[in-house]
Amino acid sequence: MNLENRKMPLLAAAAIAVVVFLQVPVLVVMLAAFSKTAYLTIPPRGLTFHWFDVVLRDPEYLSAAWTSVWLAGASTAAALVLGLIAAYAIHRRMLPGATALTSLFMAPLILPSVVLGVALLQYYTLTGLRGSPFGLWIAHVVITVPYVVRASLSSLAAVDESLEDAARVLGADGLTSFRLVTLPLVKPGLVAGGLFAFITSLDNVPVSVFLLSASQTTLPVKIFTSVEQGVDPSVAAVSTLLIVATGIALLLAERWTGFHKHV
Amino acid sequence: MTTRKTNGALLASPLLLLLLLVFVAPVLLMVPLSLHPYEPGTGISSGWTLANYTSIVTDEYYREVVVRTLVLGFGVTLICLLMDYPLACYIANAGPKIRLALTMLVIFPMLLNLVVRSFGWIALLANRGLVNNLLIDMGLIERPIKMMFNLFGLLVGMSHIFLPFMVLMLVPAIQAVSKDVQAAAYTLAASRLRVFWSVTLPMSAPGILSGSILVFVLTISALVTPRMLGGPTYKVMATLIYDDFLQTLDWPAGAAMSFTLTLLTLVVIGLSSRMLRRWGGHA
């Protein structure tokens, strides 16, 4: 089929143009981070690592980054456990109303995030959870769990159920047969689902921005609010660090799980 | 059989409980909120009113924001479709190595923090941004063109954000178009354009529809990019809700707008899944 593409140079040109267009803002941010001037210039006037120094010494950026990472890690961990066991119960038809349950578990993907954010703002104000790390954590479990449920259901569907039955015939109890037979088979899909959950939490603004206390912020919310007060190259520097981290994570994920097949 | 059901309930109930408490209950509790009147100065009073909903239709400003949101949704969907269909065709027909490389280059910006991508567009489109600087240096314009805080900026920025989603929906749809049918059409002496128009395009229609619905729904619900590229003045529904809850504190109006936005997304998703079912495709 390669032949078909080679016969159509216009198609190739259009395709490459779009792929280049997709990288433009990314490259612009990375270039702007090395600018010597206090405002953004591209190409940068002079080369400096000054803004990286500013960011890495800024306690606000550091604590925001730390909050983002523990929040994403803790939400992903909880989502993986809750999502996998619920998906397992649905998949093995251990419950009535499996379709309705699946819809409910996937619903946080469909509801606009900003709507969930404001609904939780009122709810947490009423229940006294506003500004608490616990409230933020369970909110992030809700928005990340659909990715785990989806990945678990599709991975479980590919597992031959008779394998687990065979383990039981050989004397393994339910938990052991699940742990030794099913879990290793669904692991690649689960890793990809977990990565999506992690990225979703790390990326989230529309829910977090309504629930954070004044003293606590996540990295994307910090960038989001600081842009409203004006743009300087330190924002570009912190963005560049995120770009590099994302690129490395994508390459590692591709090597480990063939990530692009799970997208 | 009963132990099986008990086990099932034990496995699913933690997640069920979490979603009932932290998803269903908060959304339901916003219903009464949206039905209370709000008076500036005194705040939310305990009476009941439908005014928060009726004003979305009658108030000229609210109407403008809703129409703008929908225009943006259609515009971004159309741009994504036009830019992505050729790319998706190319990826679908490419050899494994090129396909992998292109897919990675499409996924990478999608995984990148949304705030960072929107910030990239600020650096490009601002008055002192890259595009204006380039145009001025080339002598094409005298003073900066306004490319942010208007429809243009939002269309460009949000199309960029949602292009990857469309590609990922289109590629499998185009790959699924039977090569035999295409070959048959060629055998019957159809031109390449004719094959595209009468075979490839209609047979990939379910993918086009799924991708369009996804991009449309994501666009009308987006908060971050419209806020960063539209600022506090050029508002869409999501940024209006944001301001109602965090700036003006008119929570009832924000709640009513939230349900309107939710209803719009549900209607779009509902209609499209009916269409897809009629075509025999899969959502």
Side-chain angles (χ1 to χ4, degrees):
Chain A
M1 286 331 281
N2 240 335
L3 241 171
E4 210 177 299
N5 271 344
R6 237 171 271 157
K7 268 195 235 157
M8 292 194 265
L10 258 179
L11 181 71
I16 288 161
V18 173
V19 171
V20 170
F21 174 76
L22 278 172
Q23 319 304 321
V24 167
V26 182
L27 298 173
V28 165
V29 168
M30 293 177 80
L31 276 177
F34 296 99
S35 175
K36 264 191 177 157
T37 47
Y39 53 92
L40 297 175
T41 50
I42 299 135
R45 311 236 160 92
L47 191 79
T48 176
F49 287 92
H50 171 70
W51 302 108
F52 291 96
D53 196 46
V54 169
V55 165
L56 291 173
R57 280 168 202 277
D58 185 337
E60 270 190 51
Y61 270 126
L62 291 180
S63 90
W66 174 239
T67 306
S68 286
V69 170
W70 79 249
L71 183 60
S75 327
T76 305
L80 277 173
V81 174
L82 296 183
L84 177 62
I85 59 176
Y88 185 77
I90 290 173
H91 173 71
R92 300 296 299 254
R93 312 219 163 277
M94 295 161 88
L95 284 169
T99 323
L101 271 181
T102 313
S103 307
L104 175 65
F105 294 162
M106 300 307 287
L109 274 189
I110 291 171
L111 187 79
S113 304
V114 64
V115 175
L116 181 61
V118 296
L120 284 173
L121 171 60
Q122 187 206 15
Y123 189 65
Y124 282 3
T125 309
L126 292 172
T127 54
L129 276 173
R130 192 172 171 185
S132 76
F134 176 75
L136 193 61
W137 175 54
I138 52 176
H140 273 237
V141 178
V142 168
I143 56 173
T144 53
V145 85
Y147 296 97
V148 177
V149 171
R150 187 170 64 185
S152 305
L153 282 177
S154 67
S155 305
L156 284 169
V159 173
D160 187 350
E161 277 181 36
S162 54
L163 287 176
E164 202 172 302
D165 296 338
R168 293 205 194 190
V169 171
L170 294 171
D173 61 34
L175 189 65
T176 311
S177 60
F178 174 76
R179 192 169 54 85
L180 292 180
V181 177
T182 308
L183 195 58
L185 289 171
V186 298
K187 211 170 103 189
L190 212 55
V191 170
L195 267 168
F196 261 106
F198 191 85
I199 291 166
T200 303
S201 167
L202 208 59
D203 196 38
N204 185 273
V205 170
V207 172
S208 305
V209 76
F210 295 103
L211 307 181
L212 290 162
S213 62
S215 60
Q216 185 191 38
T217 185
T218 65
L219 200 51
V221 172
K222 164 97 176 125
I223 300 174
F224 179 71
T225 45
S226 68
V227 163
E228 298 209 334
Q229 290 146 19
V231 172
D232 74 63
S234 69
V235 180
V238 77
S239 300
T240 302
L241 294 175
L242 276 173
I243 292 168
V244 173
T246 310
I248 293 172
L250 175 59
L251 289 177
L252 288 179
E254 179 62 27
R255 175 157 290 188
W256 287 339
T257 69
F259 187 66
H260 75 277
K261 282 174 282 182
H262 300 281
V263 175
Chain B
M1 215 44 212
T2 37
T3 49
R4 189 176 159 83
K5 278 208 171 126
T6 323
N7 283 340
L10 276 176
L11 290 175
S13 56
L15 185 55
L16 182 61
L17 207 63
L18 178 77
L19 283 172
L20 288 178
L21 282 175
V22 191
F23 181 76
V24 178
V27 173
L28 289 182
L29 273 175
M30 218 164 48
V31 176
L33 177 68
S34 72
L35 297 170
H36 284 308
Y38 172 85
E39 278 116 40
T42 51
I44 304 162
S45 56
S46 55
W48 300 94
T49 176
L50 277 173
N52 297 312
Y53 288 97
T54 51
S55 67
I56 294 174
V57 185
T58 55
D59 187 291
E60 205 174 313
Y61 178 67
Y62 281 155
R63 231 173 26 215
E64 190 190 322
V65 170
V66 173
V67 170
R68 177 185 296 156
T69 308
L70 295 176
V71 167
L72 198 65
F74 283 114
V76 170
T77 307
L78 193 66
I79 294 173
C80 284
L81 208 51
L82 291 177
M83 287 180 77
D84 275 344
Y85 205 90
L87 174 59
C89 280
Y90 192 79
I91 293 179
N93 292 318
K97 267 191 184 156
I98 295 178
R99 187 186 308 164
L100 178 64
L102 289 178
T103 308
M104 294 295 271
L105 282 171
V106 168
I107 298 175
F108 174 58
M110 189 173 93
L111 295 185
L112 201 56
N113 211 295
L114 188 58
V115 182
V116 171
R117 284 179 282 165
S118 308
F119 173 69
W121 282 107
I122 295 181
L124 277 159
L125 300 179
N127 278 348
R128 293 211 295 195
L130 177 64
V131 176
N132 269 318
N133 278 349
L134 266 179
L135 291 176
I136 291 173
D137 287 348
M138 285 161 70
L140 290 172
I141 52 171
E142 296 267 307
R143 61 190 58 156
I145 306 171
K146 192 180 160 193
M147 287 184 283
M148 264 172 65
F149 310 120
N150 57 20
L151 187 65
F152 176 81
L154 262 60
L155 276 177
V156 173
M158 295 182 81
S159 299
H160 174 263
I161 305 288
F162 296 126
L163 277 166
F165 293 89
M166 185 70 96
V167 179
L168 294 176
M169 296 296 262
L170 288 178
V171 170
I174 294 170
Q175 278 174 333
V177 174
S178 162
K179 298 279 179 267
D180 295 341
V181 181
Q182 285 174 332
Y186 282 123
T187 317
L188 296 170
S191 69
R192 208 180 286 153
L193 199 66
R194 180 74 200 273
V195 172
F196 171 74
W197 199 248
S198 317
V199 177
T200 315
L201 195 61
M203 286 183 80
S204 59
I208 294 176
L209 185 67
S210 308
S212 300
I213 295 311
L214 180 68
V215 170
F216 184 85
V217 167
L218 288 173
T219 304
I220 62 170
S221 1
L223 169 72
V224 172
T225 313
R227 183 63 178 195
M228 289 178 77
L229 295 177
T233 48
Y234 193 79
K235 280 186 198 172
V236 294
M237 288 171 80
T239 53
L240 194 70
I241 295 168
Y242 175 79
D243 280 335
D244 278 341
F245 273 87
L246 290 186
Q247 309 290 324
T248 58
L249 301 186
D250 187 353
W251 287 17
M257 191 55 95
S258 297
F259 283 120
T260 312
L261 180 60
T262 307
L263 185 72
L264 277 176
T265 60
L266 290 181
V267 166
V268 171
I269 293 170
L271 282 179
S272 65
S273 57
R274 280 184 78 174
M275 271 173 82
L276 279 175
R277 225 171 296 139
R278 198 178 307 158
W279 289 351
H282 37 270

